[in-house]
Amino acid sequence: MEKRSYTSGHHGSHEERKRALLREGEFYRTGVAHARAQIRTASRPEVMFHSVIDHATWALRTRADALLKPTGTSVSVLAPYALTVLGFIRKRRLGKPALGVAAVLGAAAWYLQRKRARDVAY
């Protein structure tokens, strides 16, 4: 689609065209000022760090949701339960035993997945 300029092909008085051009210039200047302010804000270290954290969180949640999709659940459904369990573990100071149990369960899941993949291949 062609952008029409107020100077070419526009019928009207000289004053109308002048007002239209001034209005267009004011919109342009406002847009430039807004863009400069956004760049100035976005280039601050704390804003950049926050953006990185948001992106990483989004990427991890997307991966977790993709893994949970076959089960019919999602991170948002499991999050309240996970936070309750984590609060219980923190309150009872069971961090090290919980890490041990998580490591054992992770190793068992890895072994079963590997065994299942080997059985399917043969």
Side-chain angles (χ1 to χ4, degrees), residues 74-88:
S74 68
V75 172
S76 59
V77 171
L78 296 177
Y81 302 112
L83 290 175
T84 303
V85 169
L86 288 174
F88 176 78

Side-chain angles (χ1 to χ4, degrees), residues 97-116:
L99 279 174
V101 169
V104 169
L105 288 175
W110 174 78
Y111 175 76
L112 290 174
Q113 182 182 9
R114 189 170 171 221
K115 183 179 175 186
R116 187 177 308 138

Side-chain angles (χ1 to χ4, degrees), residues 43-69:
S43 65
R44 292 180 18 224
E46 61 272 11
V47 174
M48 291 173 73
F49 179 72
H50 187 73
S51 296
V52 167
I53 296 298
D54 282 348
H55 182 74
T57 303
W58 175 82
L60 289 173
R61 178 158 181 195
T62 303
R63 292 270 174 112
D65 279 339
L67 289 172
L68 292 171
K69 190 173 186 175

